[in-house]
Amino acid sequence: MGKKISLSITAFFFLAIFLLAPVSYANEDLGKKIAAAGKEQLGVPYKWGGTTPSGFDCSGFILYVFNQFDISLPRTSAQQATVGKAVSKSNLQAGDLVFFKTTSASISHAGIYIGNNQFISATSSKGIKIDSINDPYYWGSRYVTARRVIEEKTEDPVVPSRVLSKGEYYDVAKNSWAYPAITSLSKQGIINGYAGSIFKPGNTIKRSEVAKMLSETFNLKATKAAPYSDVAKSHWAYNHIAAATEHNFFTGYDGNKFKPDEPITRAEIAALFARVFELEGQNGQATQYSDLSKSHWAYADIQKLTQNEIATGYSDQTFKASKQTSRAEFSQFLYNALQK
């Protein structure tokens, strides 16, 4: 009996260390999200002084992408090369800024490092494109430096400070804007958290997770195989993806791809919800967003989403269509849609 008590105390001690110790780490996950947001603008033409998807210059492109993550940067590439901290070429990670000398100026071009020795930038010849930082014909010899503007962050410890009721999580406070939506959907079994009764509300939500939540919401069942080459039958969300696709909730990408682990953007949520919930536009004036033109592929669906009060824009009159959706945001959108 004494041995069991001793083991229990030891186990509790190590569990307490695990839960209470803060974790410091380079914010690599955010860097990958920034890289993905940059890739969404591939093919956008170059425009001197451009800062919107109608056309970018190199620093304007960087401003646009980082603004989606509430990271403010100076306007020009030379100024951007003075912020953050210097990082060596061998230690680059996704989301770092890389700088080049293409004219007599010390810094005249900038891009976003996306991994595998590649960066994405607004080029005057081909618009937004991906190149190698070691390109022997051009960029390699013109590389100057790199800066990390994504700060290291300390993840706050998860402290079991209260007794949880059904549907609650330690990292979703009762005064959180998403608390009613998350707890309601959790009680219904539509969404789930992680081990240790945490929800990770700020994490991006993946396409596979959205398929699961929608198939649970509508009690969808698959009678056909999933038609995707990148979703194996052993994938945890295979049946959900197959069911959501069969009911025309989802369509895949070229090459019979579903991309189950890809984050889903606010624009993609608008198109998905407009289809799933058969949303109709409301009579009246369209909501004006400074970063959303009528030519945007999801413009009509975003209008439907906002006019039906499922989603709103930001205080600066933007919608941030390319911003990846967090678990908390998606929970709120789904909760709002189900109230209609």
Side-chain angles (χ1 to χ4, degrees):
M1 180 68 177
K3 189 174 183 179
K4 288 183 179 179
I5 293 174
S6 176
L7 288 173
S8 297
I9 292 173
T10 302
F12 176 80
F13 174 75
F14 283 108
L15 178 62
I17 291 175
F18 174 76
L19 288 174
L20 299 177
V23 180
S24 180
Y25 60 97
N27 204 343
E28 294 182 11
D29 186 51
L30 177 57
K32 291 176 182 177
K33 296 174 188 176
I34 289 171
K39 291 177 185 178
E40 291 179 5
Q41 305 304 320
L42 281 169
V44 169
Y46 181 86
K47 180 181 179 181
W48 175 260
T51 59
T52 72
S54 63
F56 293 111
D57 63 17
C58 67
S59 57
F61 167 64
I62 290 172
L63 280 181
Y64 178 82
V65 172
F66 278 79
N67 278 343
Q68 295 178 46
F69 299 90
D70 299 320
I71 298 175
S72 298
L73 295 172
R75 176 62 182 92
T76 69
S77 56
Q79 293 169 333
Q80 290 171 356
T82 66
V83 298
K85 66 178 182 180
V87 59
S88 66
K89 197 174 186 181
S90 61
N91 288 319
L92 286 169
Q93 67 180 36
D96 289 340
L97 300 182
V98 288
F99 299 92
F100 303 84
K101 179 179 180 179
T102 60
T103 66
S104 58
S106 58
I107 299 290
S108 53
H109 188 76
I112 302 170
Y113 186 72
I114 60 174
N116 297 320
N117 293 319
Q118 294 182 316
F119 73 103
I120 186 169
S121 69
T123 65
S124 58
S125 59
K126 295 184 178 179
I128 304 299
K129 66 185 295 282
I130 294 172
D131 292 289
S132 169
I133 59 173
N134 297 318
D135 170 30
Y137 302 104
Y138 193 78
W139 296 113
S141 62
R142 291 168 171 79
Y143 180 87
V144 178
T145 188
R147 308 290 293 189
R148 181 163 297 157
V149 296
I150 304 172
E151 298 179 357
E152 279 196 348
K153 80 176 192 180
T154 300
E155 188 175 79
D156 294 331
V158 177
V159 181
S161 57
R162 69 184 195 271
V163 176
L164 298 178
S165 299
K166 184 177 180 181
E168 288 187 322
Y169 301 94
Y170 288 121
D171 56 347
V172 181
K174 289 187 175 182
N175 61 356
S176 167
W177 57 269
Y179 174 85
I182 291 171
T183 53
S184 175
L185 296 177
S186 291
K187 289 176 181 177
Q188 297 175 59
I190 294 173
I191 60 176
N192 303 105
Y194 296 87
S197 297
I198 58 174
F199 187 75
K200 301 184 181 180
N203 280 19
T204 53
I205 191 164
K206 300 174 183 177
R207 286 169 55 83
S208 54
E209 293 173 321
V210 172
K212 183 264 183 188
M213 291 182 190
L214 290 178
S215 66
E216 293 282 2
T217 299
F218 293 96
N219 194 28
L220 304 180
K221 303 298 180 185
T223 62
K224 302 177 183 177
Y228 305 113
S229 60
D230 60 344
V231 183
K233 289 186 176 181
S234 58
H235 191 284
W236 70 268
Y238 177 85
N239 289 330
H240 299 303
I241 292 170
T245 300
E246 184 176 335
H247 288 79
N248 298 315
F249 284 13
F250 277 97
T251 56
Y253 295 89
D254 291 341
N256 294 326
K257 302 288 187 181
F258 183 79
K259 301 182 181 180
D261 296 322
E262 284 288 309
I264 194 165
T265 67
R266 286 166 60 86
E268 290 170 328
I269 291 293
L272 177 65
F273 275 33
R275 184 167 57 251
V276 170
F277 293 97
E278 300 180 347
L279 300 179
E280 295 183 359
Q282 306 296 311
N283 293 328
Q285 188 175 3
T287 305
Q288 300 298 316
Y289 295 111
S290 61
D291 62 342
L292 184 70
S293 67
K294 290 184 178 180
S295 61
H296 190 284
W297 67 269
Y299 177 84
D301 292 328
I302 289 171
Q303 290 297 332
K304 292 176 183 178
L305 200 71
T306 56
Q307 289 172 6
N308 283 276
E309 299 181 340
I310 293 172
T312 59
Y314 292 84
S315 58
D316 60 357
Q317 304 304 311
T318 61
F319 185 79
K320 300 183 181 179
S322 298
K323 183 179 180 181
Q324 295 170 357
T325 310
S326 71
R327 285 169 55 82
E329 287 176 318
F330 182 81
S331 298
Q332 188 66 59
F333 296 161
L334 182 56
Y335 177 78
N336 290 346
L338 291 173
Q339 306 307 303
K340 302 299 179 182

